[in-house]
Amino acid sequence: QVQLVESGGGLVQAGGSLRLSCAASGRTGSSYAMGWFRRAPGKEREFVAGINWTGGNTYYLDSVKGRFTISRDNFKNTVYLQMNSLKPEDTAVYSCAAERTTRDPGNVAASYDYWGQGTQVTVSS
């Protein structure tokens, strides 16, 4: 089992920045691709960013490319999502997820094996 705990969410004005963290514990010795997803009120959950287990490959939702950066520190068992130039439409609950694989991360929720509880990000206009 792997436990994931997100932190770093909050309220920010449009144009501002936040950095989300996702700390993993438990059976972290295996190789995991990691992803960030979000769910806005009344909308489906969507893939935001993913990173493979070495950190060498990253993937992004088109609408966040150039604004968000996913990274990981495997020594700290932590994944980050740096979010810059935030927009009101980025408002959502953000969750991190772990996929037990050495391949590149999937972009659908069903690919992932473990989930965090989520952290709220609210961007005011």
Side-chain angles (χ1 to χ4, degrees), residues 64-79:
V64 308
K65 285 181 181 176
R67 299 190 297 123
F68 290 11
T69 303
I70 188 171
S71 61
R72 68 189 297 163
D73 184 336
N74 287 342
F75 291 104
K76 295 182 179 179
N77 293 322
T78 302
V79 177

Side-chain angles (χ1 to χ4, degrees), residues 13-35:
Q13 288 188 329
S17 298
L18 284 173
R19 188 175 82 153
L20 305 183
S21 299
C22 172
S25 60
R27 298 188 66 179
T28 57
S30 299
S31 301
Y32 293 92
M34 299 296 294

Side-chain angles (χ1 to χ4, degrees), residues 78-89:
T78 302
V79 177
Y80 305 97
L81 185 67
Q82 178 67 45
M83 306 186 295
N84 299 328
S85 302
L86 282 161
K87 304 176 181 179
E89 51 263 44

Side-chain angles (χ1 to χ4, degrees), residues 6-14 16-21 36 81 83 86-88 90-94 118-124:
E6 302 96 336
S7 61
L11 173 65
V12 64
Q13 288 188 329
S17 298
L18 284 173
R19 188 175 82 153
L20 305 183
S21 299
W36 284 97
L81 185 67
M83 306 186 295
L86 282 161
K87 304 176 181 179
D90 294 319
T91 295
V93 174
Y94 285 71
T119 185
Q120 176 70 46
V121 171
T122 303
V123 184
S124 63

